[in-house]
Amino acid sequence: QGARDFHFVVVSDNSGRPRPGVYREAMEKAELLQPAFVMSVGDMIDGVNAEREGAPALLKKQWDEFMTYLEPLKAPFVFVPGNHDMREGLQEEDWAKRFGPGYYSFLYQDMLFLVLDSNNYDDAQFAWLEETLKKHADVRWTYLFQHHPFWISNRPTWGPVAKLLEGREKLTVFGGHIHNYAYTSHGNIQYVTLATTGGSSQLRGRRYGEMDHLMMVTATDAGPVMAGIELEGI
């Protein structure tokens, strides 16, 4: 390995009738892998209907419970907003109080990590993304995380993001949402869509891309070395 190589773990959806105990088990097993940090791709909680009586209390209960799942994890956990985490209104406001902006970036070992809020692309986010990419044009690699894998469905909303990413030669993109594993590449860009980490699934196995898993990523100068690991295999 190179002197600056490191590894991180990516975990996926825990929404849509989450199965008790799975996410906490994932954190226990992620910690065994000793990552520099753990990245989410969103949908950590089931979320609430803001019009429902007692919605604020229910939302607090869900987040309080989720935070107990992270207790086994000593490595930092990076929050990425999913549609269940940040519904318009009450949940947007709650997210801002808990975690701050829905999109942000950080550098680690001269690699750029981008978190996008795919629930609410707007001009401010596009402007921020463009500025951030320009500011960090010469990093060793760029990793982008968002919840919705719009690159699969070719959603028009993905177009402005894709345009900003054009010419980025060292780039890997992660998402979730569909509860099915998928991998594709366009040009030099790799797109990884994770299945579930406790979220609703028929769990028919790898053949159908339906399993509880995490992704262990070793970040190198030549790009990521990715190992998809089913939870029961750790």
Side-chain angles (χ1 to χ4, degrees):
Q1 286 193 335
R4 294 192 295 171
D5 291 357
F6 64 94
H7 62 272
F8 61 92
V9 163
V10 188
V11 293
S12 193
D13 294 42
N14 182 50
S15 64
R17 301 183 301 280
R19 286 167 282 115
V22 177
Y23 210 93
R24 184 182 176 95
E25 177 190 355
M27 296 302 105
E28 292 170 351
K29 293 182 173 180
E31 181 60 28
L32 292 176
L33 300 175
Q34 293 289 284
F37 47 85
V38 174
M39 298 291 310
S40 161
V41 290
D43 273 9
M44 293 159 282
I45 63 170
D46 236 4
V48 300
N49 180 345
E51 297 177 0
R52 176 179 172 178
E53 185 177 352
L58 179 58
L59 182 60
K60 181 181 184 302
K61 180 181 178 181
Q62 289 185 10
W63 277 119
D64 286 350
E65 183 175 343
F66 177 80
M67 298 307 286
T68 68
Y69 303 159
L70 304 183
E71 289 173 354
L73 188 67
K74 295 178 183 177
F77 183 89
V78 183
F79 293 82
V80 175
N83 55 295
H84 281 261
D85 308 314
M86 197 195 273
R87 291 189 177 101
E88 187 176 1
L90 170 66
Q91 287 193 242
E92 281 185 327
E93 296 167 7
D94 185 77
W95 179 281
K97 291 176 183 176
R98 288 178 182 274
F99 308 118
Y103 56 90
Y104 55 94
S105 68
F106 63 92
L107 289 171
Y108 189 87
Q109 297 281 35
D110 196 31
M111 293 191 180
L112 176 63
F113 288 79
L114 296 164
V115 171
L116 297 190
D117 176 10
S118 58
N119 302 295
N120 184 29
Y121 287 151
D122 58 21
D123 290 343
Q125 185 169 188
F126 293 144
W128 168 85
L129 178 58
E130 182 175 23
E131 180 182 350
T132 303
L133 288 168
K134 287 180 179 177
K135 182 178 178 181
H136 303 291
D138 299 321
V139 291
R140 296 166 59 207
W141 207 269
T142 299
Y143 291 95
L144 186 152
F145 296 82
Q146 67 171 45
H147 181 60
H148 300 86
F150 289 146
W151 49 88
I152 291 178
S153 56
N154 200 25
R155 287 279 190 94
T157 45
W158 178 244
V161 179
K163 187 171 181 60
L164 290 173
L165 298 176
E166 282 180 4
R168 199 80 173 182
E169 294 184 356
K170 300 177 179 180
L171 173 66
T172 304
V173 181
F174 289 91
H177 185 64
I178 61 174
H179 295 205
N180 278 88
Y181 177 78
Y183 174 89
T184 187
S185 61
H186 299 294
N188 55 295
I189 303 176
Q190 303 160 305
Y191 296 90
V192 184
T193 307
L194 277 72
T196 53
T197 309
S200 59
S201 175
Q202 296 184 55
L203 295 178
R204 293 178 293 177
R206 280 175 279 176
R207 179 180 177 185
Y208 295 93
E210 296 175 356
M211 60 279 187
D212 285 324
H213 70 138
L214 53 77
M215 184 72 73
M216 182 172 172
V217 183
T218 302
T220 77
D221 282 338
V225 179
M226 296 181 281
I229 308 174
E230 295 183 53
L231 290 189
E232 63 182 20
I234 303 175

